[in-house]
Amino acid sequence: QLLETTMCSFPTYSKHDESHAKTVLHNIEMILGERRIETLSASDCFMLLHTVYIHDIGMVITYKEREDIVNNDKFCDMIKEMEDEHDPVFQRAVRALQKKDYSYDNEDDKEERMKKLYSDKLEVYYAILHLIATFRRPEHGDLSTERLEEWTLQPEKLGSGFSMAGIPQRIFLWIAKCAGLHTDSKFEHIMKLPQEDNGYASDYLHPRFVAVLLQLGDILDMDNDRFHPLTRECIGTLPELSQRHYEKHQAIRRLYIKQDRISIEADCNSQEALRLVRKECDMLKDILTEAGYYWSQICPEGFRGSLPTIDSVKLSLKGFQIPEGLVAWLQLQS
C-alpha cells in the first residue's frame, strides 16, 4: 500500500508501484522457468517475493523526510548546480523556488493580484515536486535498505510483527541488503553477500541469487506500460530526462525473455531515447556476464542450468536499423 504513494512523490517517473513489482516477478519467472522454480526452497521463494516488493520502498517519501530534504545542505547544493540546467522544466522549477518578490504593483484589482499570487504559488508546488524527486531518486536503493532495517529492528515499526511470526530477523535484514543492491552497479557488492544461509523452513536461502534475480527482473521492466497513461494530463510538461525515458519505453517493439536467451528490439524517435535503450541493454549484458562468470558461487547447490544470454539487440531510429557500432559512437557523443 505504501508503494501507491510513489506516484505522488515521483509524478513524472515511470511506475514504481505494485504493478512494477508484479512485472519484476514475472520477468524472474520467465528467466527461471516453472521447473526450476519448483526446485527453489521455501525460504528462497519467501525472500524473493519480499525483496521484489520492498526494493523500491526508498521511493516512498514521508512528510518528515520532505522537511529534512529541503533543509539538507546537499539539496541546497543541488539547487545551485541546477541554476544553469538546460532543461526548461528544471530552469522554471529553480526560478519558482528561489523567487522572493511577489509584488504586483501594476495590477490595481486586488482579486487579480491574488490570482497571480496563487498561480505563482502553484509554480512553487510543482517546483518542489520535481526537485525533491530529483534529489531522492539516486539514493532510493540505499534508503530501501535503511528503511527495512529500521522497521525490522524497531518493535514500534514492524519488528514486533516480524518477531511474532517466528521468522528470524536476520532473514529480513538479508532482504534489506538485497533490495538496496538493485541500484548498485558494482557487482562485487553482491559477491560480498553469502552464497547460502540457513532458511526458516529447515532449508537454505541464497542472498546472492536473490540479489542477481532482482537486478535482472528490474532492468527488464522496459515494456511500453511503465508510465501511467495520464501522466502528462496530471503533471503537464515532463522534464527532459523523464520524456526520454518515456520515449525509451514507448520504443520497445520486442521483449522476449526465456530461460536460455533474451531478445530486445526498439524503434526510437530520437537519438536520446536510442542511447537510453542501448545503455540499459549494456547494463543487462554486464549483469549477465558478471553473474554468469560466478554462477556456481551464486545459485543454490544442485541448481540446474545457467542464466540466459542476450540473443540479439536490434535498435532502430525512426524505422532505420542502426549498426551497433554507430549506436556506441552516438553514446560517446552525448
Side-chain angles (χ1 to χ4, degrees):
Q1 291 173 329
L2 277 175
L3 291 175
E4 295 173 6
T5 68
T6 57
M7 275 297 290
C8 302
S9 299
F10 296 85
T12 65
Y13 284 66
S14 56
K15 291 184 288 185
H16 288 80
D17 56 5
E18 184 184 9
S19 68
H20 170 57
K22 286 183 176 180
T23 302
V24 173
L25 282 173
H26 173 74
N27 293 339
I28 292 172
E29 289 170 346
M30 295 297 99
I31 290 170
L32 294 177
E34 187 172 351
R35 290 185 180 180
R36 292 200 295 186
I37 291 173
E38 290 174 351
T39 69
L40 297 179
S41 69
S43 293
D44 273 334
C45 291
F46 177 89
M47 191 173 173
L48 265 170
L49 287 164
H50 279 71
T51 303
V52 168
Y53 266 91
I54 208 73
H55 78 279
D56 276 330
I57 203 68
M59 293 186 74
V60 174
I61 307 179
T62 65
Y63 177 86
K64 178 64 167 60
E65 287 171 335
R66 289 189 180 92
E67 287 186 327
D68 292 342
I69 287 172
V70 297
N71 286 287
N72 189 317
D73 289 341
K74 291 181 180 179
F75 179 76
C76 296
D77 291 341
M78 183 193 79
I79 300 299
K80 290 178 183 177
E81 292 173 3
M82 295 180 74
E83 288 178 4
D84 298 323
E85 173 66 51
H86 70 279
D87 187 325
V89 172
F90 284 122
Q91 282 183 352
R92 189 173 173 181
V94 171
R95 286 198 303 268
L97 194 60
Q98 294 179 335
K99 185 175 180 179
K100 299 176 183 178
D101 181 12
Y102 288 98
S103 61
Y104 306 100
D105 296 334
N106 59 339
E107 185 60 62
D108 296 330
D109 189 297
K110 180 180 178 180
E111 187 172 332
E112 289 301 316
R113 289 201 303 271
M114 296 310 294
K115 286 179 181 178
K116 289 185 177 181
L117 178 63
Y118 299 154
S119 179
D120 282 342
K121 296 296 185 182
L122 182 62
E123 288 283 330
V124 176
Y125 166 76
Y126 285 115
I128 285 290
L129 272 181
H130 289 312
L131 296 171
I132 287 181
T134 301
F135 179 79
R136 185 63 174 263
R137 178 69 173 85
E139 60 182 10
H140 81 274
D142 292 337
L143 288 168
S144 292
T145 296
E146 291 176 17
R147 179 166 280 165
L148 188 56
E149 288 178 343
E150 178 187 348
W151 289 352
T152 301
L153 297 174
Q154 295 186 20
E156 67 272 20
K157 302 291 184 180
L158 297 179
S160 60
F162 291 160
S163 299
M164 290 176 69
I167 299 172
Q169 283 184 334
R170 65 178 170 80
I171 293 180
F172 292 99
L173 295 176
W174 285 133
I175 289 169
K177 294 291 186 187
C178 292
L181 287 169
H182 84 277
T183 57
D184 195 326
S185 61
K186 295 184 178 179
F187 196 80
E188 59 263 30
H189 293 164
I190 289 180
M191 296 305 293
K192 288 181 179 180
L193 298 171
Q195 179 179 5
E196 189 171 73
D197 197 12
N198 275 12
Y200 171 63
S202 301
D203 56 8
Y204 298 96
L205 54 80
H206 302 84
R208 292 177 185 172
F209 181 70
V210 171
V212 167
L213 290 176
L214 172 62
Q215 284 196 347
L216 292 172
D218 188 49
I219 201 169
L220 282 167
D221 189 8
M222 58 175 65
D223 216 342
N224 308 136
D225 60 346
R226 276 305 302 275
F227 278 79
H228 192 284
L230 297 179
T231 295
R232 281 198 178 92
E233 283 76 3
C234 293
I235 202 65
T237 304
L238 296 179
E240 185 175 303
L241 184 58
S242 292
Q243 176 63 30
R244 298 308 175 214
H245 276 279
Y246 176 82
E247 293 174 3
K248 172 196 72 180
H249 288 294
Q250 294 306 110
I252 299 298
R253 294 294 176 266
R254 187 169 192 241
L255 181 59
Y256 183 61
I257 306 169
K258 290 201 75 173
Q259 297 172 57
D260 60 340
R261 63 189 182 278
I262 296 171
S263 296
I264 298 168
E265 294 182 16
D267 186 5
C268 306
N269 286 324
S270 68
Q271 290 186 16
E272 292 80 6
L274 186 76
R275 284 193 286 261
L276 276 177
V277 177
R278 169 62 191 265
K279 180 181 178 181
E280 296 203 355
C281 289
D282 287 346
M283 290 167 60
L284 179 61
K285 288 180 180 178
D286 289 343
I287 297 168
L288 289 170
T289 300
E290 293 271 16
Y293 183 79
Y294 294 104
W295 190 235
S296 63
Q297 301 172 47
I298 293 172
C299 68
E301 185 178 354
F303 189 77
R304 293 185 177 182
S306 58
L307 289 171
T309 58
I310 301 291
D311 180 50
S312 67
V313 174
K314 295 181 180 179
L315 303 181
S316 299
L317 183 61
K318 296 181 179 179
F320 295 95
Q321 187 170 341
I322 307 297
E324 188 171 341
L326 181 55
V327 177
W329 181 83
L330 290 172
Q331 283 183 300
L332 291 172
Q333 304 310 304
S334 63

